[in-house]
Amino acid sequence: MNVATGHAQARTAGGFESRLSAVEERVGVAPATPELDQQILQARVDRNAAAAAEDYERAASLGDRERQLLADKGSHQELWAAEHPDLPSLVEKVRQLSEQVERLRGLLREHGPEQEEDTA
């Protein structure tokens, strides 16, 4: 592989990734839950801090809150999936493609320069 080929492959991979990102944005990979995600994270952080401070009653209460928030998020995701029956399968395909792109990039990083050095 020569340098020009490597650059062309990088441009192609970059173009593919940008198109893949555009599809993800357009389709929506999952329901937006930033508020719930933040609340879950805060409950987890607070629970860990309470446990570290040996305030086990508060830690248990915060653990209950975290579980409830996670259940709420799951319900929200299930509702979204029911309202968009074709999207979850498309989302899964997009994720699979993303994983393949990353795997191929890893192979290019791992083997690309070696081949370039061997042919030079």
Side-chain angles (χ1 to χ4, degrees), residues 26-40:
R26 173 87 169 102
V27 169
V29 289
T33 58
E35 299 85 21
L36 275 173
D37 292 336
Q38 181 59 39
Q39 291 174 7
I40 292 166

Side-chain angles (χ1 to χ4, degrees), residues 7-101:
H7 290 304
Q9 288 176 340
R11 281 193 308 274
T12 301
F16 178 75
E17 183 174 315
S18 68
R19 287 191 301 273
L20 193 56
S21 293
V23 168
E24 287 176 338
E25 285 180 29
R26 173 87 169 102
V27 169
V29 289
T33 58
E35 299 85 21
L36 275 173
D37 292 336
Q38 181 59 39
Q39 291 174 7
I40 292 166
L41 177 62
Q42 190 62 53
R44 187 172 296 144
V45 168
D46 292 348
R47 176 180 49 87
N48 290 336
E54 298 183 6
D55 186 351
Y56 300 115
E57 190 173 316
R58 180 164 165 69
S61 174
L62 289 163
D64 291 342
R65 171 137 174 83
E66 180 182 354
R67 279 187 292 283
Q68 182 58 52
L69 289 166
L70 287 167
D72 291 349
K73 182 177 178 178
S75 295
H76 188 71
Q77 290 172 330
E78 287 175 12
L79 179 62
W80 178 85
E83 291 173 351
H84 304 89
D86 295 334
L87 293 182
S89 63
L90 181 57
V91 167
E92 182 57 32
K93 288 177 185 175
V94 168
R95 283 189 184 136
Q96 289 172 356
L97 285 172
S98 294
E99 289 171 5
Q100 287 297 323
V101 166

Side-chain angles (χ1 to χ4, degrees), residues 104-116:
L104 291 171
R105 278 198 178 129
L107 289 171
L108 280 173
R109 282 190 296 268
E110 187 177 318
H111 299 291
E114 292 173 14
Q115 291 174 350
E116 191 174 303

